[in-house]
Amino acid sequence: MFATIKSLGLFGLNAFPVDVEVDIQKGLPHFDIVGLPDAAVKESRERIRTALYSISVTLPPKHIVVNLAPADVKKSGTMHDLAILVGVLKSMGQLSCSMQGKFFIGEVSLSGEVRSVNGVLPMTILARSLGVEELYVPADNAAEAATIQDVRVFGVHNIGELIDHLEGDAPLSPAQPADFTEPDAPENLLDFSDVKGQQTVKRALEIVAAGGHNVLLVGAPGSGKSMLAKRMPYILPEMTMEESIETTNIYSISGLLDPKHPLITKRPFRAPHHTISGVGLVGGGTVPHPGEISLAHNGLLFLDELAEFDRHTLDILRQPLEDHIVTITRAAGTISYPCRFMLVGAMNPCPCGYYGHPKRRCSCSPQAIQRYRSRISGPLLERFDLQVEVDPVSYEDLTTTEPIETSADIRKRVQAAREIQEKRFSGTSIFCNAQIPAGKLQQYCPMEETAERLVQDAFDRLGLSARSYDRLLKVGRTIADLAGSACILRRHMAAAIQYCSLSWKYLPPI
């Protein structure tokens, strides 16, 4: 007897429909799975055989053939187990219900439990576009799939429960999306009010958060670079639903979603160690998986001790920072992952950390300083919109009893600036000022005459490149938005030039 069951497959972020065709005919007892299955798919034979035995169902002594169509597309993972099992039961005559409009995803354990799989969210999005009426997924993935509207999602704990539902003996209730209006994290443990002094740096990070810019913090050890960067997530603007779905898709295929909070509503903060490889940073593997830059999509990537990273690894970031997408090509195929993120780098000015310190003497030789600085290439340095010097904290700042502005106060201003940008870029693919293309700068960054003269003077005096000029205008646009000004004034550009000129002090050849 022949049966066709609908399932879904996944390659990177790209989901695709799979027809699970099952045929049971007379012949020598054998169980074949064809259609370019990988080892995990082939092993489903034994999982299904034992799972059926757990509910007192024995496979017939016949030739069972399972074809996963389209047969020319590689099938991987354990997500097809449930569909294959349902197909076998249908072919055996154990299920009498219609399978029209039903799709099945899930891994089956030896005891008959239905285990969670990765990538359910992008597969559910495809299911909606295909007009699927009912989607059956593991119970642990039900809330994740239910975030997509217009699809009836059923969470299944075990195959016995599924059979009872399909036969109408004990119908399941459709899964409901979780309530995402409640915070999905504990109260903020890190706050800008914990940081004494450093008002200039705090202002720079506010600009970074408001415009989606990249920033490089350079200063002596103990000046508060890491402390400040780790508090940035608490001043970032709220995510839109579109951004939440995009980021959750990446975490879904990576298996990093929290079952209790299946939709990511807080902007990601990733801080990989400086020993990370290029594959770990941008992604890769036999079947290319997302790297740290994609896991930071719509959020923030913090690279502490930037000069300690391998130079080749850092230079890999240059193209993704421009294109906001990384394309990985392997023998298994080519996959593109989104990677629109804010890059925050922190480093010392020299190996000992005290070059330019007002009170401590640097012990490094000129050659050692040059080697240290050369780990950051010029093209990568130009990708940092703001380059900020973090001065040592004074005793007076540390012992002050004056109230310090909180992260919540800063975030209000950041959110207001982002709302201005949202209106400005409505109907375009631009999300924030940092993403303004070069051809649109004149349209979105109008300057008063005195501000334009100041930029011209800075361009000639500092020897700015075309990219440096573009990022200077973008930073000036963000500063004007924070001030509520439609036009970029001279004082806005003066502040932008101050934040964009650190490299001429610290990072030229000696």
Side-chain angles (χ1 to χ4, degrees), residues 228-293:
L228 286 159
K230 291 176 180 177
R231 282 157 175 76
M232 275 208 67
Y234 304 108
I235 66 170
L236 296 180
E238 296 178 0
M239 296 182 79
T240 64
M241 180 54 71
E242 180 183 356
E243 289 176 322
S244 292
I245 293 295
E246 288 178 354
T247 304
T248 305
N249 271 337
I250 297 172
Y251 277 72
S252 177
I253 65 173
S254 302
L256 298 177
L257 284 182
D258 182 354
K260 296 180 180 178
H261 306 288
L263 183 67
I264 294 178
T265 57
K266 303 294 183 184
R267 295 189 181 272
F269 177 82
R270 307 293 297 185
H273 192 262
H274 62 258
T275 56
I276 191 172
S277 66
V279 171
L281 193 61
V282 302
T286 305
V287 177
H289 58 269
E292 289 291 333
I293 63 173

Side-chain angles (χ1 to χ4, degrees), residues 11 14 52 61 93 121 125 228 239 262 272 286 307 313 331 338 382 409 411 440 452 459-460 486 491:
F11 185 71
N14 302 317
L52 289 175
L121 185 62
I125 294 173
L228 286 159
M239 296 182 79
T286 305
T313 299
E382 282 202 332
D409 296 330
R411 192 184 186 199
K440 298 289 186 179
E452 194 166 350
F459 188 89
D460 297 333
R491 63 176 180 272

Side-chain angles (χ1 to χ4, degrees), residues 19-240:
D19 288 341
V20 179
E21 301 171 342
V22 182
D23 186 43
I24 301 179
Q25 297 290 345
K26 292 181 180 180
L28 293 176
H30 206 267
F31 194 149
D32 288 324
I33 298 179
V34 297
L36 281 183
D38 70 356
V41 178
K42 291 179 180 178
E43 290 170 353
S44 67
R45 294 174 300 193
E46 305 309 319
R47 291 193 294 272
I48 290 169
R49 188 192 308 273
T50 308
L52 289 175
Y53 185 77
S54 71
I55 59 171
S56 302
V57 176
T58 304
L59 291 178
K62 296 182 179 181
H63 189 191
I64 303 173
V65 179
V66 176
N67 178 46
L68 305 178
D72 60 344
V73 177
K74 185 76 173 179
K75 317 301 186 307
S76 60
T78 59
M79 61 194 67
H80 306 300
D81 285 9
L82 195 60
I84 295 174
L85 183 142
V86 172
V88 169
L89 289 173
K90 185 70 173 175
S91 294
M92 292 171 59
Q94 297 286 331
L95 292 175
S96 59
C97 62
S98 171
M99 294 299 166
Q100 184 69 31
K102 297 180 175 66
F103 277 58
F104 299 84
I105 303 169
E107 175 185 335
V108 176
S109 73
L110 299 183
S111 63
E113 300 296 319
V114 180
R115 291 175 174 166
S116 63
V117 295
N118 297 339
V120 166
L121 185 62
M123 289 189 282
T124 306
I125 294 173
L126 175 64
R128 179 178 63 180
S129 67
L130 295 174
V132 173
E133 296 175 10
E134 297 178 3
L135 179 64
Y136 295 85
V137 301
D140 288 343
N141 295 122
E144 174 187 348
T147 60
I148 304 303
Q149 298 179 356
D150 303 325
V151 178
R152 293 182 70 202
V153 176
F154 293 92
V156 181
H157 292 90
N158 56 70
I159 60 175
E161 182 181 73
L162 175 62
I163 294 172
D164 290 341
H165 168 78
L166 293 175
E167 292 297 282
D169 297 331
L172 297 172
S173 298
Q176 300 298 320
D179 183 8
F180 301 112
T181 59
E182 296 296 325
D184 58 358
E187 291 295 323
N188 295 352
L189 300 178
L190 302 175
D191 197 281
F192 271 86
S193 61
D194 301 331
V195 183
K196 302 292 183 69
Q198 303 295 12
Q199 295 305 315
T200 300
V201 186
K202 290 180 181 179
R203 173 61 175 173
L205 296 183
E206 179 181 336
I207 296 169
V208 168
H213 302 287
N214 304 321
V215 61
L216 175 63
L217 305 177
V218 181
S223 56
K225 303 184 297 294
S226 300
M227 189 177 185
L228 286 159
K230 291 176 180 177
R231 282 157 175 76
M232 275 208 67
Y234 304 108
I235 66 170
L236 296 180
E238 296 178 0
M239 296 182 79
T240 64

Side-chain angles (χ1 to χ4, degrees), residues 200-408:
T200 300
V201 186
K202 290 180 181 179
R203 173 61 175 173
L205 296 183
E206 179 181 336
I207 296 169
V208 168
H213 302 287
N214 304 321
V215 61
L216 175 63
L217 305 177
V218 181
S223 56
K225 303 184 297 294
S226 300
M227 189 177 185
L228 286 159
K230 291 176 180 177
R231 282 157 175 76
M232 275 208 67
Y234 304 108
I235 66 170
L236 296 180
E238 296 178 0
M239 296 182 79
T240 64
M241 180 54 71
E242 180 183 356
E243 289 176 322
S244 292
I245 293 295
E246 288 178 354
T247 304
T248 305
N249 271 337
I250 297 172
Y251 277 72
S252 177
I253 65 173
S254 302
L256 298 177
L257 284 182
D258 182 354
K260 296 180 180 178
H261 306 288
L263 183 67
I264 294 178
T265 57
K266 303 294 183 184
R267 295 189 181 272
F269 177 82
R270 307 293 297 185
H273 192 262
H274 62 258
T275 56
I276 191 172
S277 66
V279 171
L281 193 61
V282 302
T286 305
V287 177
H289 58 269
E292 289 291 333
I293 63 173
S294 294
L295 293 173
H297 182 59
N298 290 320
L300 189 149
L301 179 69
F302 175 44
L303 301 184
D304 201 5
E305 303 296 345
L306 187 68
E308 299 299 332
F309 284 77
D310 178 73
R311 175 167 176 163
H312 174 69
T313 299
L314 288 179
D315 282 342
I316 293 175
L317 292 173
R318 286 156 52 180
Q319 186 174 354
L321 282 170
E322 291 287 330
D323 300 337
H324 308 302
I325 192 169
V326 58
T327 301
I328 307 167
T329 301
R330 295 292 186 271
T334 299
I335 297 177
S336 294
Y337 291 117
C339 55
R340 186 175 59 246
F341 60 94
M342 289 174 280
L343 177 61
V344 177
M347 61 178 288
N348 298 328
C350 67
C352 78
Y354 295 105
Y355 179 83
H357 196 283
K359 298 181 180 178
R360 299 189 62 169
R361 183 173 181 176
C362 174
S363 61
C364 303
S365 66
Q367 294 78 15
I369 297 175
Q370 177 59 31
R371 284 195 301 270
Y372 183 80
R373 294 174 179 174
S374 65
R375 297 177 186 176
I376 312 297
S377 66
L380 178 63
L381 182 64
E382 282 202 332
R383 264 71 174 187
F384 288 102
D385 301 335
L386 288 82
Q387 300 155 359
V388 183
E389 179 179 2
V390 184
D391 293 322
V393 182
S394 67
Y395 179 79
E396 289 75 15
D397 287 334
L398 284 175
T399 56
T400 183
T401 57
E402 295 181 1
I404 302 175
E405 193 173 40
T406 66
S407 294

